[in-house]
Amino acid sequence: MVISRRNFLSTTVAASAVLTCPGLVKSVFAAAESIKIGVPTGITGNWSALGLQIQRACKLFEKATNADGGIDGRQVQFFYEDTQGDPATCVRKTSELIERNKINLVTGIISSPESLAVMPRLEEWNALYVASVTGVGSITAKNFVPNAFRSCSSGPMRARTIALWLAKGPEKRFFSIAQDYAWGKTSVETFGKLLAGMNKEQIGSVLTPLGAKDYSSYIAKIREANPEVLYVAMSGDDATAFLKQAAQYRLSDRMKIITEVLDLLNTKPLGEVGLGLTGVSQYNFGYDTPKNAEFVKLFKAEYGDIPDTWEGESWQALQFLREAILRAKSTDTAAVRAALEGLEIDSVKGKVTMRACDHQAEQQVFMATLENQSGLPYPTPKIIQAFASPDVVPECRKDSY
């Protein structure tokens, strides 16, 4: 190899810069290195519709953040893997994201069993996980691990909100239907205990297998029990299928239906027959706060529609990560974890604080009802009451009241 005088001098100057000013060179490389976030989520299978919402929020966040100069001068880059809602697949795909792409920040996991399978591996992976969907109460209670956080509301929080809303009502007889896995089971259990404390009765409950298509036998049991209120803890394609069949059987003519997850995903297919359906609106596009208005405007410009529950919840999780990275001035796992603990952000839901003791985000929870609203082609959830975080968030490391 022939080295010219010019190359020799250039190399010498560069080497001298490294020796005399290593901080400068380090900062140049750091500025060029992107912030990588892994998203193991449901791209196919029963959770694909929820997974699509998560991906849309992440892609919009990446586009808007990078156009604004990134986070602390660093561009953001998302990496996606399909878990198909299977816990073992989720662990494998998360591991691949971390090892192949050198990722230590993870979000977007959907089901509770997936989260519970991944969490024990976080310390080994030296990775941090922010749950934006998972509802099972135990991830911030008996299954708590230091590297896991939950930015969304939990199932127990939503059950508590519904119970408080129903407390003054005359109805005494309740029936529950939920998906047969961790979140559904804990929601029904929590709701039943809350009813007992209000001198009301859960006269029956059924758990349905994930991916069920026909709910006629379950609806027959509900009709036979003849409750005054039907409590629904279902999400994804299952919730859509059940609510459509419930409308066909005109269940709402016989009883009040209250859902723990009042998502556009599940209510759009109902059309006008869904009017009056009431439940928890975890994230609500109509909540009047500057941060939410900004998000809705960005979302409409990009997708031509209003954001739904999991788009808003995913956005809130990413807001937490953004502010923690800025506070830590690093993406180091321990540094971001320390920055998240006790962090308060001005979010799409107002002021939200990540509790340090168990990593549950303290936030208000909305009750809403489906109404026709001006300028929108389908019924949408309108907030009828907001319950403050002290009223609905369990005590530290507890998932019951």
Side-chain angles (χ1 to χ4, degrees):
M1 177 179 177
V2 178
I3 301 177
S4 68
R5 182 174 181 273
R6 176 179 296 176
N7 287 341
F8 175 77
L9 290 174
S10 298
T11 304
T12 303
V13 169
S16 177
V18 172
L19 292 172
T20 59
C21 194
L24 174 62
V25 175
K26 183 179 179 181
S27 68
V28 170
F29 286 143
E33 182 185 355
S34 64
I35 294 171
K36 299 176 181 179
I37 301 174
V39 186
T41 195
I43 297 174
T44 60
N46 187 58
W47 300 116
S48 59
L50 271 67
L52 178 60
Q53 290 193 11
I54 292 163
Q55 292 173 76
R56 288 198 297 192
C58 292
K59 289 173 182 178
L60 180 59
F61 183 87
E62 181 175 347
K63 181 178 180 179
T65 301
N66 290 343
D68 197 34
I71 300 176
D72 202 22
R74 298 168 62 183
Q75 296 286 283
V76 179
Q77 187 176 11
F78 288 86
F79 295 80
Y80 304 89
E81 287 288 350
D82 184 11
T83 70
Q84 300 180 318
D86 176 65
T89 302
C90 186
V91 171
R92 178 168 56 83
K93 293 292 187 178
T94 305
S95 180
E96 289 174 3
L97 280 169
I98 290 167
E99 294 172 5
R100 183 177 61 238
N101 299 297
K102 308 301 180 186
I103 288 170
N104 69 312
L105 303 175
V106 175
T107 190
I109 297 173
I110 295 175
S111 77
S112 297
E114 289 178 292
S115 289
L116 291 171
V118 163
M119 286 168 55
R121 302 286 301 276
L122 291 173
E123 183 178 4
E124 168 194 341
W125 289 332
N126 190 32
L128 186 146
Y129 166 48
V130 179
S132 58
V133 180
T134 297
V136 65
S138 67
I139 74 169
T140 52
K142 67 180 180 181
N143 295 116
F144 169 84
V145 298
N147 284 11
F149 293 77
R150 174 163 40 210
S151 61
C152 61
S153 60
S154 67
M157 289 169 62
R158 300 192 292 267
R160 169 80 166 179
T161 298
I162 292 173
L164 289 173
W165 187 75
L166 291 167
K168 296 180 180 179
E171 299 87 1
K172 296 291 185 181
R173 292 161 47 85
F174 293 76
F175 196 98
S176 299
I177 182 169
Q179 289 163 301
D180 190 8
Y181 76 109
W183 162 59
K185 291 176 180 178
T186 57
S187 286
V188 169
E189 182 182 356
T190 301
F191 188 65
K193 290 178 179 177
L194 290 167
L195 287 176
M198 299 187 300
N199 198 30
K200 298 176 187 288
E201 181 185 7
Q202 184 166 252
I203 60 173
S205 65
V206 291
L207 296 172
T208 63
L210 290 174
K213 303 299 180 186
D214 182 14
Y215 292 90
S216 57
S217 62
Y218 301 104
I219 291 172
K221 289 182 181 179
I222 295 167
R223 288 165 63 99
E224 183 180 355
N226 195 31
E228 295 170 277
V229 178
L230 175 64
Y231 168 70
V232 182
M234 305 175 76
S235 187
D237 295 344
D238 293 15
T240 302
F242 172 74
L243 289 173
K244 286 178 74 172
Q245 282 191 266
Q248 292 167 4
Y249 282 89
R250 304 181 69 88
L251 269 189
S252 61
D253 290 348
R254 304 178 57 143
M255 64 199 68
K256 183 182 292 185
I257 299 178
I258 308 294
T259 176
E260 191 181 308
V261 183
L262 191 65
D263 295 350
L264 293 173
L265 175 67
N266 308 323
T267 61
K268 266 187 187 181
L270 302 178
E272 295 292 308
V273 299
L275 287 170
L277 181 64
T278 301
V280 171
S281 181
Q282 285 184 245
Y283 160 78
N284 191 286
F285 76 97
Y287 182 59
D288 188 14
T289 179
K291 287 292 183 182
N292 194 35
E294 178 185 342
F295 169 55
V296 172
K297 182 178 179 180
L298 280 171
F299 194 91
K300 282 183 176 179
E302 186 71 15
Y303 299 115
D305 204 353
I306 55 175
D308 198 2
T309 298
W310 309 114
E311 287 146 344
E313 289 287 21
S314 298
W315 193 265
Q316 178 161 286
L318 296 172
Q319 283 184 295
F320 265 113
L321 274 176
R322 179 184 184 278
E323 292 305 315
I325 292 168
L326 285 172
R327 178 192 262 188
K329 295 191 175 298
S330 169
T331 53
D332 173 76
T333 300
V336 176
R337 182 180 66 217
L340 276 171
E341 292 180 338
L343 178 62
E344 180 183 87
I345 64 170
D346 189 7
S347 173
V348 291
K349 298 189 199 178
K351 297 290 184 183
V352 181
T353 302
M354 186 63 73
R355 193 158 63 182
C357 64
D358 63 357
H359 299 175
Q360 170 63 53
E362 296 178 316
Q363 58 205 287
Q364 59 185 336
V365 182
F366 308 118
M367 283 295 293
T369 189
L370 279 185
E371 294 185 5
N372 285 320
Q373 299 190 53
S374 177
L376 295 170
Y378 47 82
T380 53
K382 184 174 182 180
I383 296 172
I384 54 177
Q385 189 171 354
F387 289 84
S389 60
D391 296 326
V392 296
V393 182
E395 292 180 9
C396 184
R397 301 280 181 97
K398 292 187 177 181
D399 58 6
S400 63
Y401 302 87

